[in-house]
């Protein structure tokens, strides 16, 4: 059941990645030069309140240095790449290896 949830989350993250990639591709064609929107810009456009809440949570509960170094670097990357890597990691966690077929049938 847990593996299913990880694979479902991976599928949702991959869908978000594809949508963000299509938006960047459309903007690239319209602008006639490469456009890759950072995750922070997309997140701020969709829900600035949650971005501020996430920042204040990390700064208060964890440490300001974590936000300034790690989290800020991650959300400054292109959004489609962040969600694609997230989808890969979630899929790897939820991956169920196939059982190898035996040469002889038991019984």
């Amino acid at each position: 059941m847990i593996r299913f949830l990880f694979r479902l989350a991976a599928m949702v993250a991959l869908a978000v990645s594809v949508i963000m990639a299509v938006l960047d591709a459309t903007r690239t064609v319209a602008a006639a030069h490469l456009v890759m929107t950072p995750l922070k810009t997309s997140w701020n456009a969709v829900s600035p309140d949650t971005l501020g809440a996430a920042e204040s949570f990390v700064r208060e509960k964890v440490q300001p240095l974590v936000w300034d170094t790690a989290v800020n670097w991650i959300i400054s990357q292109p959004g489609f790449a962040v969600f694609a890597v997230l989808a890969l990691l979630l899929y790897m966690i939820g991956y169920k290896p196939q059982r190898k077929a035996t040469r002889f049938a038991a019984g």
Side-chain angles (χ1 to χ4, degrees), residues 3-17:
R3 288 183 181 185
F4 169 75
L5 292 176
F6 277 112
R7 288 184 297 203
L8 181 66
M11 188 173 59
V12 170
L14 185 62
V16 170
S17 175

Side-chain angles (χ1 to χ4, degrees), residues 2-107:
I2 296 296
R3 288 183 181 185
F4 169 75
L5 292 176
F6 277 112
R7 288 184 297 203
L8 181 66
M11 188 173 59
V12 170
L14 185 62
V16 170
S17 175
V18 168
I19 290 169
M20 294 181 86
V22 168
L23 287 172
D24 283 349
T26 305
R27 291 182 184 130
T28 297
V29 169
H33 66 277
L34 184 62
V35 175
M36 291 192 294
T37 308
L39 180 59
K40 188 173 188 175
T41 304
S42 299
W43 192 356
N44 197 25
V46 172
S47 181
D49 295 335
T50 57
L51 178 60
E55 182 177 359
S56 65
F57 176 79
V58 171
R59 285 186 182 277
E60 292 172 6
K61 302 292 183 189
V62 182
Q63 191 172 12
L65 184 63
V66 173
W67 180 266
D68 293 335
T69 56
V71 177
N72 202 18
W73 182 81
I74 290 171
I75 65 175
S76 67
Q77 301 304 314
F80 71 89
V82 173
F83 276 100
V85 169
L86 179 64
L88 177 66
L89 292 174
L90 289 171
Y91 182 76
M92 287 171 56
I93 292 170
Y95 178 72
K96 182 178 182 181
Q98 298 294 327
R99 294 179 59 177
K100 291 186 178 183
T102 58
R103 180 173 235 168
F104 301 105

